Amino acid sequence: MLKETLQRAALDAGTLMKERFHSSFRIDNKEGVNNLVTEVDHASEKVIMDTIRSRFPDHFILSEESGEIVMDSSYKWIIDPIDGTVNFANGIPICCVSIGVEHDGNMVLGAVYNPFLDEYFFAERGAGAFLNDRPIRVSEKTDVWKSCLVTGFPYSYLDTPNGPLEVFGRFIRKGVPVRRLGSAAIDLCWVAAGRFDGFYEHKLNAWDSAAGFLMVEEAGGKVTDFAGRPYSPYQPHLVASNGHIHDGILDVIHDRVRND
Ligand code: IPD
Ligand code: CA
Ligand code: CA
């Protein structure tokens, strides 16, 4: 029932996103430069929340646009109704619905649906990760300098040591392809599917990474913070990889690479 509800919510919200893609919709600004929210983010969130609450009215919900619906429950749904809103608002079809489910503080289920490619990613703790029902695995690449990476940048620039542009520059100067798709959930799923070898980002929220984290882990990869500590959705730094190049990415982030 949990799995079916998760799938129903993700597919229905994704279908709505696709239907509204070429329509006109209201766009508002949130905190931060160009941090947008559209009418469709709210509509997608309503579809997801209605689906969950009709079946599990006592579950805790954390959703990007509505915040927390606090319940005394061992289950918590973590929802991003549109991940890639700037893409969506600009007619760029790289965006998705992302939903993770925690049980007793552990992520146990994750779903990410990109309706434009009709790609439904699903992961269940201990049971694997799947793309449209086919098992997926991370890549086998072992050399970080020969890898294909992806990252994202925050809406408000972080001017800190080892910040987003510095780390990006370190890879780019060495000729490493670092893509920027604009949807952290898709970035993570594409690491899980072996399309990217690694992903890092400096400032994420729980809803950006909850489902994608499990996808990477269940596909055989590794997800940590910038200190190499196990993933938590409630801290901003994230590195996800096929495992082999993980330390290599951390070394670049912390500028521990010798250039001689
Ligand atoms: C954003 C996307 C983007 C990432 C940002 C997120 P939103 O989420 O995941 O790729 O770089 O950090 O905030 O605003 O489109 O839901
Ligand atoms: Ca997001
Ligand atoms: Ca969002």
Side-chain angles (χ1 to χ4, degrees), residues 157-242:
Y157 189 70
L158 298 169
D159 210 356
T160 52
N162 300 322
L165 278 181
E166 283 179 80
V167 176
F168 188 61
R170 286 173 200 149
F171 282 116
I172 297 305
R173 284 198 181 90
K174 296 258 193 175
V176 176
V178 184
R179 304 303 187 226
R180 200 289 197 232
L181 299 186
S183 162
I186 292 179
D187 298 339
L188 285 160
C189 287
W190 287 23
V191 171
R195 295 172 182 169
F196 293 124
D197 307 304
F199 164 67
Y200 66 89
E201 191 159 342
H202 287 69
K203 195 176 171 192
L204 289 175
N205 287 298
W207 45 81
D208 300 313
S209 63
F213 146 72
L214 194 62
M215 224 66 73
V216 173
E217 268 213 351
E218 287 296 323
K222 184 169 177 179
V223 186
T224 69
D225 68 6
F226 283 2
R229 287 178 297 236
Y231 167 83
S232 157
Y234 309 107
Q235 67 81 41
H237 301 142
L238 192 133
V239 178
S241 77
N242 62 8

Side-chain angles (χ1 to χ4, degrees), residues 41 64-65 80-85 207-208:
D41 292 72
E64 180 175 10
E65 312 307 340
D80 195 334
I82 298 184
D83 187 54
T85 294
W207 45 81
D208 300 313

Side-chain angles (χ1 to χ4, degrees), residues 91-134:
I92 300 165
I94 304 176
C95 35
C96 64
V97 178
S98 173
I99 310 173
V101 183
E102 265 188 9
H103 184 227
D104 287 333
N106 297 310
M107 210 66 69
V108 290
L109 294 175
V112 172
Y113 182 47
N114 174 357
F116 303 101
L117 290 176
D118 197 21
E119 290 193 329
Y120 179 67
F121 291 90
F122 169 76
E124 180 174 10
R125 181 165 292 284
F130 305 85
L131 165 52
N132 294 340
D133 290 331
R134 289 222 174 100

